Structures are given as structure tokens and as C-alpha cells.
Amino acid sequence: MARERVSIIIPCFNEKQVLPELFERLKALEKKLKKRWDVEFVFVDDGSTDDTPALLDNFIKDHEGRVVHFTRNFGHQAALEAGYLYAKGDVFVTIDADLQDPPELILDMLKKYDEGYDVVLAKRRRRRGETFFKKSTAKIFYKFLNFIANIPMIEEVGDFRLISERVRDELLKLREPHKYWRGLVFFLGFPTATVLYTRRPRAAGETHYSLKKMLNLARIAVFGFSDKVPSLVAGLFFLVKIFTIDSPTKWVLVVHAAFDVFVVWLILSLLFSIYRLLLGRPNYVVLRVVEGKQGALVVYSKS
Ligand code: UDP
Ligand code: MG
């Protein structure tokens, strides 16, 4: 098989505590891949305010790839977009920095790629070390999303995935400002495989996905992948109205008001989304890019 380059894309936001262990695991992985793969690391420093930027710059000095520093925190999904844009490989793997996703699984993902799949998703067999709240809300949300979505989506997958170059090119062509990567790979519809893994607790530090960030991601997912929300809301409201119209108790009025508020919110947020689109602001701003070791002149062995 011809030698190819895999870009490992890692968004990092204040991850100084996990970086030493991450670096060790990445180096070990690089060794295991050496026979078939050139490896480059593309770290996206999403406006970290701890020692993350310096640690990343120091690591990349001795490795191929680069560190893309944002001017401030723009969020995980924006960091992934920059990762895809700045990566120069033939295959692209996105993985979290906190070792919840085991880097060693990339070996299995690349095997699937060699079998001819364009998309390989790491599917969570179990999630360990996450709060009951996080696990249950995620489960309910993904079931709901799948129920209302226009296209079927594989559940229990996050942003730990491999994509081929043609998938990357299609993704970067998309003009939508808020990209919900997890859904977009299903939208594109290339041959997809999954590999199973157990999601571990964070190696160190704390989650940076606040409730606000989670809700925002959920909104982008629903708006982007379902046309059924208006019919669902209208249908439900209609039913509530016909069953409660004769009994205007306080709670009935509260439910009616909740629906009114929800509809106003829905319309306003869609208007704001359109307004944002008109403004055309970028999803992130790059402060600087630190290039790693110059790609060594590799003499490709015939295979
Ligand atoms: N992350 C980021 N920007 C953010 C939040 C998170 O780049 O605003 C990164 C973070 O450093 C990690 C990945 O995205 O590599 C996933 O974040 P986290 O582990 O905090 O989320 P969780 O696993 O709890 O959903
Ligand atoms: Mg995490």
C-alpha cells in the first residue's frame, strides 16, 4: 500500500494538565504507525489562557505538523474547522485532548480506512467517569435528534472520527456558518464504518463544555438537521389547546404561555441566525501558526 500521511487534529482549550500524558501517548502511536503512515499533528489552541500554548509550541518543534493559535476562545466546533483547513495530510482524524478518546484506537480506524471506508466513527460502547446528568441528557438528546432528523444518524458517536480527503474537501466547501460536524458527515453520506470503544474519564482537568455550550450545539443540530420542529410544536400546541380550552386553570394558562414564549424564541433565534449569516463574520480568528519540524524528506519504500 502506498505511503500516506495522517493528520491528527487536536483542539485544546486550557489542557495543560493532560498535555504531558497526551504527548507520550501520541509519540507511542506515531511509532506504531511508522511503517505505513507519516504522521502530522495539528493542534488548535482555542484561546487557552494557561500554559497550553507554550507546551504545544514546544512539542511541535520536534514533530511534523503545526499549532494554530486562535486570538480567543471560539469553541470546539470552530477549532475542528480550523484543524481541517490547516491539516495537510491524506487522511484526517479528530480527537479530544483529554484522553477520553484513546489515541490507540486510531490504529483500528486507519485499518477501516484501508478497507475502503471514507468515514470511520468511534462509537462509544460505554461512557465512564461522566456525570449522570451529562450521560442522560446526551442520550435523550440524541434519541430526540434522531427521531426528528431528516436523515438517520448513528448514535453514541462524538467528534472522534476519521475522514478521507474527499470528505474533508466536501466539508470545507459547505458555506453554512455553524457547522455541526457530527451531522454533516451523515449528510454527505460517504461509506461509513464504526469502531467501538469505551470512553474513559478525563485524564485530568475539567470539562470545558458548559451547559451553555451544550445547548448551543443542540440548537445548531436541531435547526440544521430537521424540518419537523415547526410541525411538531404546532401539532403539540394544537392538541394542548383543544384538550384544555374549557378549563382555564392557572397551570393551563402557564402551559399556553410557555408555548407562546417558545414560538417567539424559535422565530427570533431563526431571525438572528439569518442576521449572523448576513454579517458574515468568520467562525474563528487565527493569531499565529507555529510550524513544526520541516517534513523530513522521506524516501518512500516500495510496498
Ligand atoms: N475544547 C475546545 N474549545 C472549547 C471547549 C473544548 O477546543 O471551547 C476542546 C477541549 O480542549 C477538548 C475537546 O474540545 O480537547 C472536548 O472538550 P471537553 O473534554 O471539555 O468536553 P467533554 O468531553 O466534556 O464533552
Ligand atoms: Mg472531554
Side-chain angles (χ1 to χ4, degrees), residues 10-15 44 46 73-76 79 95-98 100 127 130 134 199 202 206-209 213:
I10 314 173
C12 303
F13 177 47
N14 291 345
E15 297 286 10
V44 183
D46 186 10
N73 180 242
F74 283 91
H76 181 213
I95 181 169
D96 286 355
D98 60 4
Q100 284 199 280
R127 294 169 80 129
E130 285 173 306
K134 172 120 190 177
R199 191 155 158 94
R202 244 182 181 276
E206 277 167 29
T207 176
H208 302 295
Y209 253 94
K213 281 180 182 167

PDB file of all heavy atoms in Angstrom, residues 10-15 44 46 73-76 79 95-98 100 127 130 134 199 202 206-209 213, ligand 1:
ATOM      1  N   ILE A  10      -6.179  18.057  16.958  1.00  0.00           N
ATOM      2  CA  ILE A  10      -6.499  18.037  18.387  1.00  0.00           C
ATOM      3  C   ILE A  10      -6.833  19.443  18.888  1.00  0.00           C
ATOM      4  O   ILE A  10      -5.936  20.278  19.045  1.00  0.00           O
ATOM      5  CB  ILE A  10      -5.310  17.470  19.197  1.00  0.00           C
ATOM      6  CG1 ILE A  10      -4.787  16.185  18.514  1.00  0.00           C
ATOM      7  CG2 ILE A  10      -5.718  17.221  20.646  1.00  0.00           C
ATOM      8  CD1 ILE A  10      -3.531  15.634  19.123  1.00  0.00           C
ATOM      9  N   PRO A  11      -8.117  19.730  19.129  1.00  0.00           N
ATOM     10  CA  PRO A  11      -8.475  21.026  19.706  1.00  0.00           C
ATOM     11  C   PRO A  11      -8.119  21.044  21.180  1.00  0.00           C
ATOM     12  O   PRO A  11      -8.370  20.075  21.888  1.00  0.00           O
ATOM     13  CB  PRO A  11     -10.005  21.098  19.551  1.00  0.00           C
ATOM     14  CG  PRO A  11     -10.427  19.855  18.857  1.00  0.00           C
ATOM     15  CD  PRO A  11      -9.299  18.881  18.903  1.00  0.00           C
ATOM     16  N   CYS A  12      -7.531  22.126  21.628  1.00  0.00           N
ATOM     17  CA  CYS A  12      -7.096  22.214  23.032  1.00  0.00           C
ATOM     18  C   CYS A  12      -7.533  23.542  23.629  1.00  0.00           C
ATOM     19  O   CYS A  12      -7.193  24.602  23.108  1.00  0.00           O
ATOM     20  CB  CYS A  12      -5.576  22.148  23.145  1.00  0.00           C
ATOM     21  SG  CYS A  12      -4.846  20.678  22.423  1.00  0.00           S
ATOM     22  N   PHE A  13      -8.241  23.475  24.716  1.00  0.00           N
ATOM     23  CA  PHE A  13      -8.607  24.690  25.432  1.00  0.00           C
ATOM     24  C   PHE A  13      -8.239  24.491  26.906  1.00  0.00           C
ATOM     25  O   PHE A  13      -8.868  23.698  27.591  1.00  0.00           O
ATOM     26  CB  PHE A  13     -10.100  24.969  25.265  1.00  0.00           C
ATOM     27  CG  PHE A  13     -10.580  26.169  26.025  1.00  0.00           C
ATOM     28  CD1 PHE A  13      -9.887  27.373  25.968  1.00  0.00           C
ATOM     29  CD2 PHE A  13     -11.737  26.109  26.787  1.00  0.00           C
ATOM     30  CE1 PHE A  13     -10.329  28.480  26.666  1.00  0.00           C
ATOM     31  CE2 PHE A  13     -12.186  27.218  27.491  1.00  0.00           C
ATOM     32  CZ  PHE A  13     -11.486  28.399  27.432  1.00  0.00           C
ATOM     33  N   ASN A  14      -7.196  25.168  27.329  1.00  0.00           N
ATOM     34  CA  ASN A  14      -6.708  25.062  28.713  1.00  0.00           C
ATOM     35  C   ASN A  14      -6.532  23.607  29.149  1.00  0.00           C
ATOM     36  O   ASN A  14      -7.148  23.152  30.102  1.00  0.00           O
ATOM     37  CB  ASN A  14      -7.672  25.788  29.669  1.00  0.00           C
ATOM     38  CG  ASN A  14      -7.628  27.286  29.469  1.00  0.00           C
ATOM     39  OD1 ASN A  14      -6.712  27.809  28.831  1.00  0.00           O
ATOM     40  ND2 ASN A  14      -8.618  27.983  29.989  1.00  0.00           N
ATOM     41  N   GLU A  15      -5.663  22.902  28.456  1.00  0.00           N
ATOM     42  CA  GLU A  15      -5.468  21.470  28.732  1.00  0.00           C
ATOM     43  C   GLU A  15      -4.075  21.178  29.291  1.00  0.00           C
ATOM     44  O   GLU A  15      -3.567  20.076  29.122  1.00  0.00           O
ATOM     45  CB  GLU A  15      -5.705  20.649  27.459  1.00  0.00           C
ATOM     46  CG  GLU A  15      -7.100  20.721  26.891  1.00  0.00           C
ATOM     47  CD  GLU A  15      -8.131  19.930  27.705  1.00  0.00           C
ATOM     48  OE1 GLU A  15      -7.806  19.471  28.822  1.00  0.00           O
ATOM     49  OE2 GLU A  15      -9.254  19.778  27.197  1.00  0.00           O
ATOM     50  N   VAL A  44      -5.021  22.732  17.654  1.00  0.00           N
ATOM     51  CA  VAL A  44      -5.688  24.031  17.568  1.00  0.00           C
ATOM     52  C   VAL A  44      -5.853  24.537  18.991  1.00  0.00           C
ATOM     53  O   VAL A  44      -6.579  23.949  19.794  1.00  0.00           O
ATOM     54  CB  VAL A  44      -7.051  23.934  16.864  1.00  0.00           C
ATOM     55  CG1 VAL A  44      -7.665  25.321  16.733  1.00  0.00           C
ATOM     56  CG2 VAL A  44      -6.899  23.280  15.495  1.00  0.00           C
ATOM     57  N   ASP A  46      -7.434  26.809  21.218  1.00  0.00           N
ATOM     58  CA  ASP A  46      -8.658  27.607  21.144  1.00  0.00           C
ATOM     59  C   ASP A  46      -8.662  28.706  22.206  1.00  0.00           C
ATOM     60  O   ASP A  46      -9.514  28.733  23.086  1.00  0.00           O
ATOM     61  CB  ASP A  46      -9.857  26.656  21.319  1.00  0.00           C
ATOM     62  CG  ASP A  46     -11.189  27.348  21.119  1.00  0.00           C
ATOM     63  OD1 ASP A  46     -11.196  28.511  20.670  1.00  0.00           O
ATOM     64  OD2 ASP A  46     -12.233  26.730  21.421  1.00  0.00           O
ATOM     65  N   ASN A  73     -11.091  32.312  22.706  1.00  0.00           N
ATOM     66  CA  ASN A  73     -11.848  31.065  22.679  1.00  0.00           C
ATOM     67  C   ASN A  73     -13.044  31.170  21.723  1.00  0.00           C
ATOM     68  O   ASN A  73     -13.921  32.014  21.899  1.00  0.00           O
ATOM     69  CB  ASN A  73     -12.335  30.755  24.107  1.00  0.00           C
ATOM     70  CG  ASN A  73     -13.127  29.463  24.166  1.00  0.00           C
ATOM     71  OD1 ASN A  73     -14.305  29.477  24.510  1.00  0.00           O
ATOM     72  ND2 ASN A  73     -12.519  28.354  23.818  1.00  0.00           N
ATOM     73  N   PHE A  74     -13.016  30.365  20.670  1.00  0.00           N
ATOM     74  CA  PHE A  74     -14.114  30.374  19.694  1.00  0.00           C
ATOM     75  C   PHE A  74     -14.951  29.104  19.763  1.00  0.00           C
ATOM     76  O   PHE A  74     -15.943  28.980  19.058  1.00  0.00           O
ATOM     77  CB  PHE A  74     -13.570  30.531  18.270  1.00  0.00           C
ATOM     78  CG  PHE A  74     -13.161  31.946  17.939  1.00  0.00           C
ATOM     79  CD1 PHE A  74     -11.868  32.375  18.159  1.00  0.00           C
ATOM     80  CD2 PHE A  74     -14.077  32.840  17.418  1.00  0.00           C
ATOM     81  CE1 PHE A  74     -11.481  33.671  17.856  1.00  0.00           C
ATOM     82  CE2 PHE A  74     -13.703  34.147  17.110  1.00  0.00           C
ATOM     83  CZ  PHE A  74     -12.402  34.561  17.332  1.00  0.00           C
ATOM     84  N   GLY A  75     -14.544  28.144  20.542  1.00  0.00           N
ATOM     85  CA  GLY A  75     -15.347  26.924  20.701  1.00  0.00           C
ATOM     86  C   GLY A  75     -14.792  25.732  19.947  1.00  0.00           C
ATOM     87  O   GLY A  75     -14.075  25.867  18.950  1.00  0.00           O
ATOM     88  N   HIS A  76     -15.166  24.559  20.429  1.00  0.00           N
ATOM     89  CA  HIS A  76     -14.672  23.285  19.922  1.00  0.00           C
ATOM     90  C   HIS A  76     -14.970  23.093  18.430  1.00  0.00           C
ATOM     91  O   HIS A  76     -14.104  22.679  17.658  1.00  0.00           O
ATOM     92  CB  HIS A  76     -15.348  22.201  20.774  1.00  0.00           C
ATOM     93  CG  HIS A  76     -14.947  20.808  20.436  1.00  0.00           C
ATOM     94  ND1 HIS A  76     -15.812  19.760  20.557  1.00  0.00           N
ATOM     95  CD2 HIS A  76     -13.789  20.282  19.983  1.00  0.00           C
ATOM     96  CE1 HIS A  76     -15.197  18.644  20.194  1.00  0.00           C
ATOM     97  NE2 HIS A  76     -13.977  18.926  19.845  1.00  0.00           N
ATOM     98  N   ALA A  79     -12.786  25.121  16.333  1.00  0.00           N
ATOM     99  CA  ALA A  79     -11.417  24.590  16.368  1.00  0.00           C
ATOM    100  C   ALA A  79     -11.279  23.414  15.395  1.00  0.00           C
ATOM    101  O   ALA A  79     -10.271  23.273  14.705  1.00  0.00           O
ATOM    102  CB  ALA A  79     -11.055  24.170  17.792  1.00  0.00           C
ATOM    103  N   ILE A  95      -9.599  14.266  17.376  1.00  0.00           N
ATOM    104  CA  ILE A  95      -9.621  13.592  18.683  1.00  0.00           C
ATOM    105  C   ILE A  95      -9.509  14.638  19.781  1.00  0.00           C
ATOM    106  O   ILE A  95      -8.844  15.661  19.609  1.00  0.00           O
ATOM    107  CB  ILE A  95      -8.466  12.548  18.744  1.00  0.00           C
ATOM    108  CG1 ILE A  95      -8.457  11.810  20.079  1.00  0.00           C
ATOM    109  CG2 ILE A  95      -7.108  13.180  18.479  1.00  0.00           C
ATOM    110  CD1 ILE A  95      -7.527  10.589  20.095  1.00  0.00           C
ATOM    111  N   ASP A  96     -10.168  14.390  20.923  1.00  0.00           N
ATOM    112  CA  ASP A  96     -10.078  15.314  22.053  1.00  0.00           C
ATOM    113  C   ASP A  96      -8.708  15.218  22.707  1.00  0.00           C
ATOM    114  O   ASP A  96      -8.067  14.171  22.671  1.00  0.00           O
ATOM    115  CB  ASP A  96     -11.139  14.987  23.107  1.00  0.00           C
ATOM    116  CG  ASP A  96     -12.528  15.405  22.663  1.00  0.00           C
ATOM    117  OD1 ASP A  96     -12.649  16.018  21.592  1.00  0.00           O
ATOM    118  OD2 ASP A  96     -13.492  15.116  23.409  1.00  0.00           O
ATOM    119  N   ALA A  97      -8.337  16.296  23.368  1.00  0.00           N
ATOM    120  CA  ALA A  97      -7.022  16.337  24.015  1.00  0.00           C
ATOM    121  C   ALA A  97      -7.001  15.602  25.346  1.00  0.00           C
ATOM    122  O   ALA A  97      -5.946  15.190  25.809  1.00  0.00           O
ATOM    123  CB  ALA A  97      -6.610  17.789  24.239  1.00  0.00           C
ATOM    124  N   ASP A  98      -8.156  15.407  25.961  1.00  0.00           N
ATOM    125  CA  ASP A  98      -8.182  14.987  27.371  1.00  0.00           C
ATOM    126  C   ASP A  98      -8.071  13.486  27.588  1.00  0.00           C
ATOM    127  O   ASP A  98      -8.259  13.006  28.697  1.00  0.00           O
ATOM    128  CB  ASP A  98      -9.451  15.515  28.047  1.00  0.00           C
ATOM    129  CG  ASP A  98     -10.704  14.997  27.371  1.00  0.00           C
ATOM    130  OD1 ASP A  98     -10.589  14.186  26.439  1.00  0.00           O
ATOM    131  OD2 ASP A  98     -11.798  15.407  27.784  1.00  0.00           O
ATOM    132  N   GLN A 100     -10.006  11.181  26.829  1.00  0.00           N
ATOM    133  CA  GLN A 100     -11.264  10.427  26.949  1.00  0.00           C
ATOM    134  C   GLN A 100     -11.389   9.503  25.742  1.00  0.00           C
ATOM    135  O   GLN A 100     -11.989   8.444  25.812  1.00  0.00           O
ATOM    136  CB  GLN A 100     -12.456  11.387  26.978  1.00  0.00           C
ATOM    137  CG  GLN A 100     -12.626  12.089  28.292  1.00  0.00           C
ATOM    138  CD  GLN A 100     -14.034  12.639  28.443  1.00  0.00           C
ATOM    139  OE1 GLN A 100     -14.349  13.694  27.908  1.00  0.00           O
ATOM    140  NE2 GLN A 100     -14.879  11.924  29.161  1.00  0.00           N
ATOM    141  N   ARG A 127     -19.690   4.874  28.465  1.00  0.00           N
ATOM    142  CA  ARG A 127     -19.079   6.148  28.849  1.00  0.00           C
ATOM    143  C   ARG A 127     -18.784   6.069  30.320  1.00  0.00           C
ATOM    144  O   ARG A 127     -19.678   5.851  31.122  1.00  0.00           O
ATOM    145  CB  ARG A 127     -20.045   7.302  28.609  1.00  0.00           C
ATOM    146  CG  ARG A 127     -20.361   7.536  27.161  1.00  0.00           C
ATOM    147  CD  ARG A 127     -21.517   8.498  27.051  1.00  0.00           C
ATOM    148  NE  ARG A 127     -21.089   9.869  27.218  1.00  0.00           N
ATOM    149  CZ  ARG A 127     -21.401  10.833  26.366  1.00  0.00           C
ATOM    150  NH1 ARG A 127     -22.124  10.588  25.306  1.00  0.00           N
ATOM    151  NH2 ARG A 127     -21.001  12.058  26.580  1.00  0.00           N
ATOM    152  N   GLU A 130     -18.281  10.153  33.455  1.00  0.00           N
ATOM    153  CA  GLU A 130     -19.008  11.383  33.169  1.00  0.00           C
ATOM    154  C   GLU A 130     -20.224  11.430  34.093  1.00  0.00           C
ATOM    155  O   GLU A 130     -20.719  10.399  34.539  1.00  0.00           O
ATOM    156  CB  GLU A 130     -19.411  11.426  31.697  1.00  0.00           C
ATOM    157  CG  GLU A 130     -18.233  11.749  30.810  1.00  0.00           C
ATOM    158  CD  GLU A 130     -18.549  11.641  29.322  1.00  0.00           C
ATOM    159  OE1 GLU A 130     -19.029  10.588  28.886  1.00  0.00           O
ATOM    160  OE2 GLU A 130     -18.315  12.605  28.617  1.00  0.00           O
ATOM    161  N   LYS A 134     -24.815  14.473  32.463  1.00  0.00           N
ATOM    162  CA  LYS A 134     -24.263  14.570  31.107  1.00  0.00           C
ATOM    163  C   LYS A 134     -24.680  13.355  30.269  1.00  0.00           C
ATOM    164  O   LYS A 134     -25.106  13.470  29.126  1.00  0.00           O
ATOM    165  CB  LYS A 134     -22.739  14.680  31.192  1.00  0.00           C
ATOM    166  CG  LYS A 134     -22.044  14.600  29.855  1.00  0.00           C
ATOM    167  CD  LYS A 134     -21.246  15.826  29.567  1.00  0.00           C
ATOM    168  CE  LYS A 134     -20.771  15.834  28.133  1.00  0.00           C
ATOM    169  NZ  LYS A 134     -20.050  17.013  27.788  1.00  0.00           N
ATOM    170  N   ARG A 199     -15.442   5.002  26.402  1.00  0.00           N
ATOM    171  CA  ARG A 199     -14.999   6.378  26.666  1.00  0.00           C
ATOM    172  C   ARG A 199     -14.574   6.495  28.122  1.00  0.00           C
ATOM    173  O   ARG A 199     -15.333   6.158  29.020  1.00  0.00           O
ATOM    174  CB  ARG A 199     -16.132   7.358  26.358  1.00  0.00           C
ATOM    175  CG  ARG A 199     -15.684   8.804  26.346  1.00  0.00           C
ATOM    176  CD  ARG A 199     -16.611   9.616  25.481  1.00  0.00           C
ATOM    177  NE  ARG A 199     -16.600  11.031  25.785  1.00  0.00           N
ATOM    178  CZ  ARG A 199     -15.851  11.920  25.161  1.00  0.00           C
ATOM    179  NH1 ARG A 199     -15.039  11.543  24.214  1.00  0.00           N
ATOM    180  NH2 ARG A 199     -15.924  13.198  25.481  1.00  0.00           N
ATOM    181  N   ARG A 202     -11.880  11.793  31.929  1.00  0.00           N
ATOM    182  CA  ARG A 202     -10.818  12.733  31.603  1.00  0.00           C
ATOM    183  C   ARG A 202      -9.534  12.374  32.329  1.00  0.00           C
ATOM    184  O   ARG A 202      -9.583  12.034  33.509  1.00  0.00           O
ATOM    185  CB  ARG A 202     -11.246  14.095  32.142  1.00  0.00           C
ATOM    186  CG  ARG A 202     -11.458  15.092  31.098  1.00  0.00           C
ATOM    187  CD  ARG A 202     -11.829  16.407  31.712  1.00  0.00           C
ATOM    188  NE  ARG A 202     -12.043  17.294  30.584  1.00  0.00           N
ATOM    189  CZ  ARG A 202     -11.068  17.933  29.978  1.00  0.00           C
ATOM    190  NH1 ARG A 202      -9.841  17.870  30.416  1.00  0.00           N
ATOM    191  NH2 ARG A 202     -11.346  18.672  28.919  1.00  0.00           N
ATOM    192  N   GLU A 206     -10.882  19.623  33.906  1.00  0.00           N
ATOM    193  CA  GLU A 206     -12.344  19.561  33.915  1.00  0.00           C
ATOM    194  C   GLU A 206     -12.901  19.792  32.526  1.00  0.00           C
ATOM    195  O   GLU A 206     -12.223  20.333  31.661  1.00  0.00           O
ATOM    196  CB  GLU A 206     -12.891  20.662  34.834  1.00  0.00           C
ATOM    197  CG  GLU A 206     -12.901  20.268  36.288  1.00  0.00           C
ATOM    198  CD  GLU A 206     -13.140  21.466  37.174  1.00  0.00           C
ATOM    199  OE1 GLU A 206     -13.810  22.421  36.726  1.00  0.00           O
ATOM    200  OE2 GLU A 206     -12.633  21.444  38.308  1.00  0.00           O
ATOM    201  N   THR A 207     -14.156  19.393  32.344  1.00  0.00           N
ATOM    202  CA  THR A 207     -14.792  19.620  31.044  1.00  0.00           C
ATOM    203  C   THR A 207     -14.884  21.120  30.757  1.00  0.00           C
ATOM    204  O   THR A 207     -15.033  21.931  31.673  1.00  0.00           O
ATOM    205  CB  THR A 207     -16.198  18.999  30.990  1.00  0.00           C
ATOM    206  OG1 THR A 207     -16.798  19.347  29.736  1.00  0.00           O
ATOM    207  CG2 THR A 207     -17.087  19.491  32.108  1.00  0.00           C
ATOM    208  N   HIS A 208     -14.766  21.461  29.468  1.00  0.00           N
ATOM    209  CA  HIS A 208     -14.927  22.855  29.073  1.00  0.00           C
ATOM    210  C   HIS A 208     -16.234  23.046  28.341  1.00  0.00           C
ATOM    211  O   HIS A 208     -16.494  24.099  27.783  1.00  0.00           O
ATOM    212  CB  HIS A 208     -13.761  23.291  28.196  1.00  0.00           C
ATOM    213  CG  HIS A 208     -12.441  23.120  28.867  1.00  0.00           C
ATOM    214  ND1 HIS A 208     -12.104  23.833  29.990  1.00  0.00           N
ATOM    215  CD2 HIS A 208     -11.397  22.313  28.618  1.00  0.00           C
ATOM    216  CE1 HIS A 208     -10.901  23.469  30.387  1.00  0.00           C
ATOM    217  NE2 HIS A 208     -10.450  22.533  29.573  1.00  0.00           N
ATOM    218  N   TYR A 209     -17.007  21.952  28.300  1.00  0.00           N
ATOM    219  CA  TYR A 209     -18.311  22.057  27.653  1.00  0.00           C
ATOM    220  C   TYR A 209     -19.337  22.459  28.697  1.00  0.00           C
ATOM    221  O   TYR A 209     -19.922  21.634  29.375  1.00  0.00           O
ATOM    222  CB  TYR A 209     -18.700  20.730  26.990  1.00  0.00           C
ATOM    223  CG  TYR A 209     -18.597  20.818  25.488  1.00  0.00           C
ATOM    224  CD1 TYR A 209     -17.442  20.429  24.823  1.00  0.00           C
ATOM    225  CD2 TYR A 209     -19.650  21.337  24.734  1.00  0.00           C
ATOM    226  CE1 TYR A 209     -17.322  20.546  23.451  1.00  0.00           C
ATOM    227  CE2 TYR A 209     -19.537  21.451  23.361  1.00  0.00           C
ATOM    228  CZ  TYR A 209     -18.372  21.048  22.727  1.00  0.00           C
ATOM    229  OH  TYR A 209     -18.266  21.169  21.377  1.00  0.00           O
ATOM    230  N   LYS A 213     -22.693  25.909  26.250  1.00  0.00           N
ATOM    231  CA  LYS A 213     -22.103  25.408  25.002  1.00  0.00           C
ATOM    232  C   LYS A 213     -22.871  24.185  24.500  1.00  0.00           C
ATOM    233  O   LYS A 213     -23.060  24.003  23.298  1.00  0.00           O
ATOM    234  CB  LYS A 213     -20.633  25.053  25.219  1.00  0.00           C
ATOM    235  CG  LYS A 213     -19.715  26.269  25.216  1.00  0.00           C
ATOM    236  CD  LYS A 213     -18.258  25.874  25.425  1.00  0.00           C
ATOM    237  CE  LYS A 213     -17.352  27.105  25.467  1.00  0.00           C
ATOM    238  NZ  LYS A 213     -16.017  26.792  25.968  1.00  0.00           N
TER     239      LYS A 213
HETATM  240  N1  UDP B   1     -12.381  22.399  23.571  1.00  0.00           N
HETATM  241  C1  UDP B   1     -12.058  23.476  22.766  1.00  0.00           C
HETATM  242  N2  UDP B   1     -12.744  24.651  22.937  1.00  0.00           N
HETATM  243  C2  UDP B   1     -13.732  24.786  23.864  1.00  0.00           C
HETATM  244  C3  UDP B   1     -14.078  23.660  24.641  1.00  0.00           C
HETATM  245  C4  UDP B   1     -13.383  22.483  24.478  1.00  0.00           C
HETATM  246  O1  UDP B   1     -11.168  23.397  21.920  1.00  0.00           O
HETATM  247  O2  UDP B   1     -14.295  25.866  23.948  1.00  0.00           O
HETATM  248  C5  UDP B   1     -11.638  21.134  23.404  1.00  0.00           C
HETATM  249  C6  UDP B   1     -11.086  20.525  24.680  1.00  0.00           C
HETATM  250  O3  UDP B   1      -9.799  21.011  24.987  1.00  0.00           O
HETATM  251  C7  UDP B   1     -11.089  19.036  24.355  1.00  0.00           C
HETATM  252  C8  UDP B   1     -12.293  18.901  23.437  1.00  0.00           C
HETATM  253  O4  UDP B   1     -12.542  20.188  22.902  1.00  0.00           O
HETATM  254  O5  UDP B   1      -9.935  18.656  23.633  1.00  0.00           O
HETATM  255  C9  UDP B   1     -13.520  18.379  24.166  1.00  0.00           C
HETATM  256  O6  UDP B   1     -13.805  19.201  25.256  1.00  0.00           O
HETATM  257  P1  UDP B   1     -14.151  18.656  26.715  1.00  0.00           P
HETATM  258  O7  UDP B   1     -13.315  17.459  27.019  1.00  0.00           O
HETATM  259  O8  UDP B   1     -14.043  19.792  27.668  1.00  0.00           O
HETATM  260  O9  UDP B   1     -15.660  18.251  26.533  1.00  0.00           O
HETATM  261  P2  UDP B   1     -16.420  16.919  27.020  1.00  0.00           P
HETATM  262  O10 UDP B   1     -15.514  15.766  26.680  1.00  0.00           O
HETATM  263  O11 UDP B   1     -16.605  17.085  28.465  1.00  0.00           O
HETATM  264  O12 UDP B   1     -17.684  16.915  26.236  1.00  0.00           O
END
